[in-house]
Amino acid sequence: MTTPTGDQALIKRINTAIVLEFILRGAPLSRAQISEQSGLNKATVSSLVQDLIDGSLVKETGTGQSSGGRKPVMLEFIATSGYAIGIDLGVNYIRGALTDLRGGIVAERTSSLRHPEPEAAVEQLCNCIEALMAEAPASSYGIVGIGVGVPGLVDDNGTILFAPNLKWRDVPLLRLLTERFALPVTIDNEANMGALGEQKYGAGRSISNLVYASVGIGIGTGLILNKTLYKGTSGYSGEMGHLSIEAHGKSCTCGNRGCWEMYASEQALLEQASSLGFEDLESLLAAAAEGRQDVLALFSGIGEYLGVGIANIVNVFNPDAVIIGNRMSQARPWIEGIVRQTVTQRALGFHLRKVQILFAELGERSSMMGAAEMAIAGFFSRVKAT
Amino acid sequence: MTTPTGDQALIKRINTAIVLEFILRGAPLSRAQISEQSGLNKATVSSLVQDLIDGSLVKETGTGQSSGGRKPVMLEFIATSGYAIGIDLGVNYIRGALTDLRGGIVAERTSSLRHPEPEAAVEQLCNCIEALMAEAPASSYGIVGIGVGVPGLVDDNGTILFAPNLKWRDVPLLRLLTERFALPVTIDNEANMGALGEQKYGAGRSISNLVYASVGIGIGTGLILNKTLYKGTSGYSGEMGHLSIEAHGKSCTCGNRGCWEMYASEQALLEQASSLGFEDLESLLAAAAEGRQDVLALFSGIGEYLGVGIANIVNVFNPDAVIIGNRMSQARPWIEGIVRQTVTQRALGFHLRKVQILFAELGERSSMMGAAEMAIAGFFSRVKAT
DNA sequence: AAACTTAGTTTATTGGATAGACAAACTAAG
DNA sequence: CTTAGTTTGTCTATCCAATAAACTAAGTTT
């Protein structure tokens, strides 16, 4: 019982997953096409497709073009046979979406987080979820799951061990939400969710190895290696914000010195900007847009340090892409050049050949979409197991 | 044909692998035990075991103890049904071993590399391989493959793109060896091989996530994530020697500044030691053993910088273990304390809970054993595919 | 010696994939 | 409009691996 053994059910799961994957990607396509492209026998495809149709996951949508024979019956995934909820719990906001099974946003809600204490915040979170659930149209599977991205360390039991900017410690969010909604819930770090969101729906679509750097108040990173989210042993890898880039630099609250996020985060930017009379990122962005030289110099400095860290990432992971996300991605016009330049200078030549430096396509929605994707992926893995 | 589909052969492969895995690990055990522990039916196990026996991979070794019934027939893996060759091609030596399929060393050869030019070195390498092959006893499968670890960047075609200390560029070693020996050959970075060697036969036995830091002239790292060697997109990840730990530190030949290996490698140690009149690591180790304070201080400095880099590794990967290997591991008595102390100070508290800092158990043989393991693993994956 | 235990094999059954035959539905050429 | 040829999708018989259950073999315990 220790090892998962192979039996016929496993075969069927594998092949059903393959067929579903083809229908998900290939838009409208026929049984014949699936058979040819997948290598599965026509009869096998027919049988599996029938199961998917019976399970309300796939439907026939009329006939397609013929090239001299019987017209094919086109198949399509029924994205509205279920809905997922994705939440980005930020330091001072809650952003949530109701999506269909293809990740299309059906409803969205944003509210500012007035009381960051765990109890009040969780209550507000639950209200948001309930409001979104109420907006879901009737469907075969209903709400298939809830995903939540949080700005802190999450262990493998879904407990928030430590969220410095929220000042939370040991909040068993998974348990709280599971008890309340009796639905599958996934909790993970905001950067991991962002990485997943961009990999599935954003700048990193179908890229195998990517690193998502969430540059906000602090810096977090999400690692997608071999198409899978890599989580360390305890479930919390990717704390690259606390990668030391100046061994004898500024002391960080984490105990280390010269942490990357002390030089390249929004926090670092704001500290330098205070002497110029700025208090938030938005006003700095506006000033930069007007061409203020001193502000542009600030962004340039941040960009350079971002590049230092990204060069490290490139050298360590040799990824296909590094995606810069979260709030700092808005500064793209004023940091992109210097980031690229610094990375080119510092990363190893061989690694540079293939790596792309990208900015988050989903903008502020990366993390929320990743959370929804978690719920959707969980649903699929359960369906396929049946 | 694009996707690997599921069929009955796949099931059989999976289950055969499970059975073989049990026999490999569980030393002498019976069919009944395999059935019970794996969850496979007794009949299934009997049938698969018979196939393995027919394939000369397993044999029956008499009966075991009974606890009130028929005595079990014990099974054992036949490690001598084939042999593998593992080579560690160093900067100034070639170390090679002939091992059985369990990684037991049957013969070993070390020679110093007199002429590091590619042609002469490859010739010497081939001679070493031939000599080892000649020592292999007769067996069912003969030599099942050759693995070679090299001190440089290797692409996914087995070409050595760049080996700075050997001054090699674009040497198609995989092709050269395959043509000469007509055997499966695997070429990889010395640090990747070392990681594999320690994970399979050394300090990291059966650890899922580990980082192996090969600290020699330079510093390389091998990443084992989820029990698999992680290789980046182009096949060359893990260049953590060129992780910048001092953003404005010394310029490195790689183009970056403040690279880890400029502060924590053997090279860095020797540079500092030259003013004291030392020229190699061995004499420094001897002096440290005699208690020379100035030398101990040098080691202490190296240990601290090693700790800085390892703390970074821990924060990024949240691994179960970090293993310090290659030549610097000999300095364990004089660096272990300061390394541990620095890591404890600098890594995030949550990550420290589980991580172990270890030193290579296989010493100078890590890389060579990993190379042999590559060949063995390749053989198994081929056998199981039949 | 009888009753019980445990190991491993044999037998019949199940369920999924497959090749090949086939029917349905179409295009195109004469 | 007929006929030949093509493509789609289903049906049927077969194969094969895993399995449960019966069975044989070979012990131990009372």
Side-chain angles (χ1 to χ4, degrees):
Chain A
M1 291 295 163
T2 11
T3 345
T5 62
D7 58 354
Q8 309 228 82
L10 175 68
I11 295 192
K12 190 160 189 179
R13 272 208 301 286
I14 293 174
N15 290 339
T16 306
I18 291 174
V19 169
L20 188 53
E21 194 61 25
F22 270 96
I23 298 177
L24 276 165
R25 287 182 199 277
L29 81 177
S30 68
R31 293 170 174 83
Q33 284 174 293
I34 299 175
S35 167
E36 197 182 354
Q37 292 171 33
S38 69
L40 288 166
N41 187 280
K42 287 194 297 177
T44 309
V45 172
S46 273
S47 155
L48 296 176
V49 164
Q50 193 52 54
D51 288 353
L52 288 171
I53 290 176
D54 293 344
S56 308
L57 287 172
V58 166
K59 67 178 173 194
E60 301 184 333
T61 56
T63 54
Q65 283 304 308
S66 154
S67 59
R70 174 171 163 182
K71 286 184 177 174
V73 177
M74 305 314 271
L75 301 168
E76 222 171 52
F77 176 63
I78 309 179
T80 55
S81 64
Y83 295 89
I85 287 179
I87 307 278
D88 175 11
L89 175 59
V91 173
N92 45 30
Y93 63 88
I94 293 179
R95 182 191 300 274
L98 178 77
T99 76
D100 62 32
L101 295 181
R102 211 189 265 112
I105 295 179
V106 175
E108 189 172 3
R109 294 195 159 234
T110 318
S111 55
S112 57
L113 188 64
R114 296 274 171 226
H115 304 282
E117 304 78 49
E119 285 195 18
V122 170
E123 188 55 36
Q124 195 179 337
L125 175 64
C126 288
N127 289 339
C128 176
I129 293 172
E130 274 167 1
L132 287 168
M133 284 172 70
E135 299 207 46
S139 62
S140 314
Y141 292 97
I143 305 290
V144 300
I146 300 170
V148 184
V150 298
L153 278 187
V154 181
D155 74 6
D156 31 18
N157 299 316
T159 294
I160 300 171
L161 295 176
F162 181 46
N165 296 315
L166 282 171
K167 296 185 180 131
W168 286 14
R169 275 184 186 278
D170 299 314
V171 178
L173 192 58
L174 180 74
R175 189 170 58 73
L176 294 172
L177 295 182
T178 308
E179 282 173 4
R180 176 110 168 215
F181 296 104
L183 282 173
V185 177
T186 317
I187 314 286
D188 208 331
N189 180 273
E190 160 266 330
N192 282 344
M193 290 300 195
L196 203 61
E198 289 293 330
Q199 201 268 342
K200 194 78 185 180
Y201 304 113
R205 267 186 292 271
S206 69
I207 288 181
S208 297
N209 299 300
L210 70 83
V211 179
Y212 172 82
S214 164
V215 186
I217 301 289
I219 299 182
T221 45
L223 308 175
I224 303 227
L225 308 178
N226 299 327
K227 297 226 169 196
T228 342
L229 192 60
Y230 169 77
K231 311 178 53 156
T233 297
S234 319
Y236 31 92
S237 70
E239 283 300 312
M240 265 188 270
H242 296 284
L243 194 73
S244 173
I245 59 168
E246 295 272 21
H248 298 96
K250 308 181 199 173
S251 289
C252 179
T253 51
C254 76
N256 203 342
R257 306 186 63 170
C259 291
W260 188 26
E261 71 175 40
M262 304 204 67
Y263 299 87
S265 67
E266 181 178 351
Q267 182 80 41
L269 176 69
L270 294 180
E271 271 168 24
Q272 296 169 48
S274 68
S275 61
L276 300 179
F278 290 94
E279 288 206 331
D280 57 18
L281 180 61
E282 283 65 27
S283 55
L284 281 163
L285 290 169
E290 286 169 11
R292 270 192 57 170
Q293 288 303 317
D294 50 357
V295 173
L296 289 175
L298 281 186
F299 277 115
S300 182
I302 295 289
E304 182 169 355
Y305 272 111
L306 269 179
V308 171
I310 290 175
N312 275 344
I313 290 173
V314 169
N315 283 352
V316 170
F317 291 101
N318 180 219
D320 302 275
V322 178
I323 300 178
I324 300 171
N326 208 338
R327 288 167 57 80
M328 195 63 81
S329 64
Q330 299 169 71
R332 175 174 187 170
W334 303 288
I335 60 175
E336 181 166 8
I338 182 85
V339 167
R340 287 183 188 280
Q341 185 186 326
T342 311
V343 172
T344 307
Q345 266 168 25
R346 289 175 170 261
L348 293 175
F350 290 106
H351 291 51
L352 285 170
R353 286 189 190 164
K354 284 196 183 168
V355 74
Q356 310 172 59
I357 311 289
L358 305 172
F359 285 77
E361 264 181 30
L362 303 174
E364 303 172 300
R365 292 188 175 86
S366 309
S367 187
M368 177 184 78
M369 289 307 297
E373 169 58 21
M374 275 270 190
I376 295 170
F379 168 68
F380 280 139
S381 69
R382 271 172 279 132
V383 166
K384 288 171 193 165
T386 316
Chain B
M1 291 293 166
T2 12
T3 345
T5 62
D7 58 354
Q8 309 224 88
L10 175 70
I11 294 194
K12 191 160 188 180
R13 272 207 302 284
I14 292 174
N15 290 339
T16 306
I18 292 174
V19 170
L20 188 53
E21 194 60 25
F22 270 96
I23 298 177
L24 275 166
R25 287 181 200 279
L29 82 176
S30 68
R31 292 170 174 82
Q33 283 174 294
I34 297 175
S35 168
E36 196 180 354
Q37 292 171 31
S38 69
L40 289 166
N41 187 279
K42 287 197 294 176
T44 309
V45 172
S46 272
S47 155
L48 295 176
V49 164
Q50 193 52 53
D51 288 354
L52 289 171
I53 290 176
D54 292 345
S56 308
L57 288 171
V58 166
K59 66 178 172 193
E60 300 184 334
T61 56
T63 54
Q65 283 303 309
S66 155
S67 58
R70 173 173 164 180
K71 286 183 176 173
V73 177
M74 305 313 270
L75 301 168
E76 223 172 51
F77 176 63
I78 309 180
T80 56
S81 66
Y83 294 89
I85 287 179
I87 307 277
D88 175 11
L89 175 60
V91 173
N92 44 28
Y93 62 90
I94 293 178
R95 182 189 299 275
L98 178 78
T99 77
D100 62 31
L101 295 180
R102 211 189 265 111
I105 295 180
V106 175
E108 190 172 2
R109 295 194 157 232
T110 318
S111 54
S112 57
L113 188 64
R114 295 273 171 226
H115 303 282
E117 305 78 48
E119 284 194 18
V122 170
E123 188 54 35
Q124 195 179 337
L125 175 64
C126 288
N127 290 339
C128 176
I129 293 174
E130 275 167 1
L132 288 167
M133 284 173 70
E135 298 208 47
S139 61
S140 313
Y141 292 97
I143 305 291
V144 301
I146 301 170
V148 185
V150 297
L153 277 187
V154 181
D155 75 6
D156 30 19
N157 298 316
T159 294
I160 301 171
L161 295 176
F162 182 45
N165 296 314
L166 282 171
K167 296 188 180 127
W168 285 14
R169 275 184 186 279
D170 299 314
V171 179
L173 193 58
L174 180 74
R175 188 168 60 73
L176 294 172
L177 294 182
T178 307
E179 283 173 5
R180 174 109 168 214
F181 295 104
L183 281 173
V185 177
T186 316
I187 313 287
D188 208 334
N189 180 273
E190 159 267 331
N192 282 343
M193 291 298 194
L196 202 62
E198 289 293 330
Q199 201 268 342
K200 193 78 184 182
Y201 305 112
R205 267 186 292 272
S206 70
I207 289 182
S208 295
N209 300 300
L210 70 83
V211 179
Y212 172 83
S214 165
V215 187
I217 300 288
I219 298 182
T221 45
L223 308 174
I224 302 229
L225 308 177
N226 300 325
K227 298 228 169 194
T228 339
L229 191 59
Y230 169 76
K231 311 179 51 157
T233 297
S234 320
Y236 31 90
S237 69
E239 282 300 311
M240 267 187 269
H242 297 283
L243 196 73
S244 172
I245 60 168
E246 295 272 21
H248 298 96
K250 307 181 201 172
S251 289
C252 179
T253 52
C254 77
N256 203 342
R257 306 185 63 166
C259 291
W260 188 26
E261 69 174 40
M262 305 206 65
Y263 298 88
S265 64
E266 182 179 350
Q267 181 80 43
L269 176 70
L270 294 180
E271 272 168 23
Q272 296 169 50
S274 67
S275 62
L276 301 180
F278 290 94
E279 289 205 329
D280 57 17
L281 180 59
E282 283 65 26
S283 56
L284 281 163
L285 291 169
E290 287 169 11
R292 270 192 58 169
Q293 289 303 317
D294 49 358
V295 172
L296 289 175
L298 281 186
F299 277 115
S300 182
I302 295 289
E304 181 169 356
Y305 271 112
L306 269 179
V308 171
I310 291 176
N312 275 344
I313 290 174
V314 170
N315 283 352
V316 170
F317 291 100
N318 181 219
D320 303 275
V322 178
I323 301 179
I324 300 171
N326 208 338
R327 288 168 58 79
M328 196 63 81
S329 63
Q330 300 169 70
R332 177 174 186 171
W334 305 287
I335 60 175
E336 180 165 9
I338 182 84
V339 168
R340 287 183 188 282
Q341 186 187 324
T342 310
V343 172
T344 308
Q345 267 170 20
R346 288 175 170 261
L348 294 174
F350 290 106
H351 292 51
L352 285 171
R353 285 189 191 166
K354 284 194 183 170
V355 74
Q356 309 172 59
I357 311 290
L358 306 171
F359 285 77
E361 265 181 30
L362 303 175
E364 304 173 299
R365 292 189 175 84
S366 309
S367 187
M368 178 184 78
M369 289 307 297
E373 169 58 21
M374 275 270 188
I376 295 170
F379 168 67
F380 280 140
S381 69
R382 269 172 281 133
V383 167
K384 288 170 192 163
T386 316

